[in-house]
C-alpha cells in the first residue's frame, strides 16, 4: 500500500512540475498574441492619422485654389471699376470688391489655421511612426524569445513526464482515476501532504484519528474538505529510506 502511495505522491510531483510548464505554454502565446494585436492596432491608428494628413493637404490645396480664384475675381472687379460710368456702377463694384475681400480674408484665416493643424499633425505622425517602429521591433524580439522558450518548455515537459507511466503502473487504476478527477477540479493538484495536522491543499485541520490513519498509510485517505488524497511526508520518507529499490520519479 505504501509503495503505491509513494508512487502516487511522485506522480503528483511530476504533474505539478508539468503543470507549471503547461501554464507557461498557455500564457506565452496569449501574451505574444496580445502584443501583436497592440502592434496591429497602433499600425491602424497610424495609417488613419497619415490619411488625415493626406486629406488635410487636399483641403489645403482646394483652399489655395479658391483663394487664387478669388484673387483673379478681385483683379477683374478692379478692372471693372476702372470702366464705371456712374455712381451707381461704382457703388456696385465697390460692394463686389468688399465681398471678395471679406471672403478672401476668411479663406486666408481658414488656410492659416489648417496649415498650423497640418504641421502639428505631421509632427504627431512622425512621433507615432517612431513609436510604432519601436513596438514592431520589440514585438519581433519578444516573439523570437517566446519561440525559444516554448521549445525549451516542451523539451522540459517531455523530460519531466518521461517516468510517469512507470509510476502509474504501480497505482491501482481506480485510485489513479480518482486522482485525475480530483486534479481536474483542484487547479491541477490532486494529492497533498499533511503538515502540522492540516491538509496543505486547503488548510483544513484534521482530527487526531485522521492524522494517525494517514501516517499509517494503510489506505488512500482523502481530505474531508477538498477531497485531495493525503499522505504523510514523514511516513513516506521512512519507507523510502528503508526501500532503496523504490521507483524513481523520472528515467
Amino acid at each position: 500500500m505504501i509503495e503505491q502511495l509513494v508512487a502516487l505522491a511522485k506522480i503528483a510531483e511530476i504533474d505539478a512540475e508539468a503543470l507549471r510548464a503547461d501554464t507557461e505554454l498557455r500564457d506565452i502565446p496569449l501574451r505574444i498574441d496580445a502584443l501583436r494585436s497592440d502592434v496591429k492596432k497602433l499600425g491602424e491608428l497610424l495609417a488613419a492619422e497619415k490619411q488625415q494628413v493626406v486629406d488635410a493637404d487636399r483641403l489645403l490645396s482646394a483652399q489655395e485654389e479658391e483663394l487664387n480664384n478669388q484673387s483673379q475675381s478681385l483683379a477683374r472687379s478692379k478692372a471693372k471699376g476702372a470702366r464705371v460710368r456712374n455712381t451707381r456702377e461704382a457703388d456696385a463694384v465697390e460692394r463686389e470688391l468688399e465681398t471678395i475681400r471679406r471672403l478672401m480674408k476668411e479663406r486666408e484665416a481658414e488656410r492659416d489655421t489648417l496649415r498650423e493643424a497640418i504641421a502639428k499633425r505631421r509632427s504627431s505622425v512622425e512621433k507615432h511612426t517612431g513609436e510604432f517602429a519601436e513596438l514592431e521591433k520589440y514585438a519581433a524580439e519578444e516573439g523570437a524569445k517566446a519561440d525559444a522558450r516554448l521549445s525549451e518548455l516542451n523539451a522540459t515537459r517531455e523530460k519531466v513526464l518521461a517516468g510517469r507511466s512507470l509510476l502509474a503502473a504501480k497505482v491501482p487504476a481506480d485510485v489513479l482515476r480518482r486522482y485525475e478527477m480530483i486534479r481536474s477540479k483542484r487547479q491541477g493538484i490532486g494529492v497533498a501532504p499533511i503538515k502540522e495536522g492540516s491538509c496543505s491543499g486547503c488548510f483544513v485541520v484534521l482530527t487526531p484519528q485522521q492524522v494517525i490513519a494517514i501516517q499509517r498509510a494503510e489506505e488512500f485517505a482523502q481530505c474531508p474538505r477538498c477531497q485531495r488524497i493525503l499522505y504523510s511526508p514523514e511516513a513516506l520518507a521512512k519507507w523510502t529510506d528503508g526501500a532503496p529499490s523504490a521507483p524513481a520519479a523520472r528515467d
Side-chain angles (χ1 to χ4, degrees):
M1 171 65 199
I2 195 167
E3 182 180 3
Q4 296 172 348
L5 194 54
V6 168
L8 185 61
K10 290 183 177 180
I11 287 173
E13 290 177 5
I14 289 173
D15 288 343
E17 191 171 347
L19 180 61
R20 287 190 288 272
D22 288 339
T23 300
E24 262 198 275
L25 285 168
R26 179 198 66 209
D27 291 346
I28 289 175
L30 291 176
R31 182 176 66 84
I32 296 302
D33 286 346
L35 182 57
R36 287 170 177 165
S37 178
D38 289 342
V39 172
K40 182 180 178 182
K41 288 178 182 177
L42 185 58
E44 291 171 350
L45 290 173
L46 181 59
E49 195 173 25
K50 288 179 177 179
Q51 186 58 49
Q52 289 175 355
V53 173
V54 171
D55 294 341
D57 282 336
R58 288 174 181 168
L59 180 58
L60 181 61
S61 296
Q63 287 184 342
E64 294 283 8
E65 185 177 354
E66 185 177 357
L67 276 170
N68 184 57
N69 292 336
Q70 287 177 345
S71 179
Q72 293 177 10
S73 296
L74 183 64
R76 287 194 294 269
S77 295
K78 287 180 178 179
K80 186 192 299 183
R83 300 192 298 272
V84 297
R85 292 172 294 181
N86 51 54
T87 302
R88 187 177 65 180
E89 289 181 354
D91 290 342
V93 170
E94 186 58 34
R95 286 194 298 272
E96 184 177 316
L97 289 169
E98 183 58 30
T99 298
I100 294 174
R101 290 191 185 101
R102 177 173 55 79
L103 290 173
M104 288 184 68
K105 186 175 181 180
E106 290 174 356
R107 295 297 175 270
E108 285 171 349
E110 292 174 357
R111 179 198 61 191
D112 293 343
T113 300
L114 183 58
R115 280 176 175 172
E116 183 179 350
I118 289 174
K120 290 181 179 179
R121 182 62 69 181
R122 287 190 192 282
S123 176
S124 176
V125 167
E126 183 177 351
K127 175 185 175 183
H128 292 159
T129 298
E131 292 173 348
F132 178 68
E134 290 179 3
L135 183 59
E136 268 194 321
K137 180 181 178 182
Y138 174 74
E141 292 173 349
E142 288 300 299
K145 290 178 183 177
D147 289 341
R149 180 57 179 163
L150 289 173
S151 297
E152 179 183 342
L153 286 168
N154 280 314
T156 298
R157 187 179 186 280
E158 184 177 350
K159 182 179 179 181
V160 165
L161 294 173
R164 190 183 189 279
S165 59
L166 296 177
L167 291 168
K170 297 180 178 295
V171 181
D174 63 318
V175 174
L176 202 58
R177 284 194 298 270
R178 191 193 322 166
Y179 162 73
E180 294 293 356
M181 181 183 67
I182 297 168
R183 196 160 74 97
S184 68
K185 297 178 179 179
R186 297 295 178 185
Q187 295 79 47
I189 307 299
V191 171
I194 59 171
K195 185 177 181 180
E196 297 180 355
S198 300
C199 167
S200 62
C202 67
F203 308 107
V204 68
V205 178
L206 304 170
T207 65
Q209 292 85 351
Q210 289 171 327
V211 172
I212 291 172
I214 294 167
Q215 289 173 340
R216 287 176 178 173
E218 295 176 348
E219 61 179 13
F220 290 98
Q222 291 181 242
C223 173
R225 176 186 288 175
C226 70
Q227 299 302 307
R228 290 185 174 95
I229 298 172
L230 301 176
Y231 69 90
S232 166
E234 293 79 12
L236 266 58
K238 287 179 181 178
W239 184 88
T240 303
D241 291 341
S245 60
R250 299 173 185 80
D251 289 340

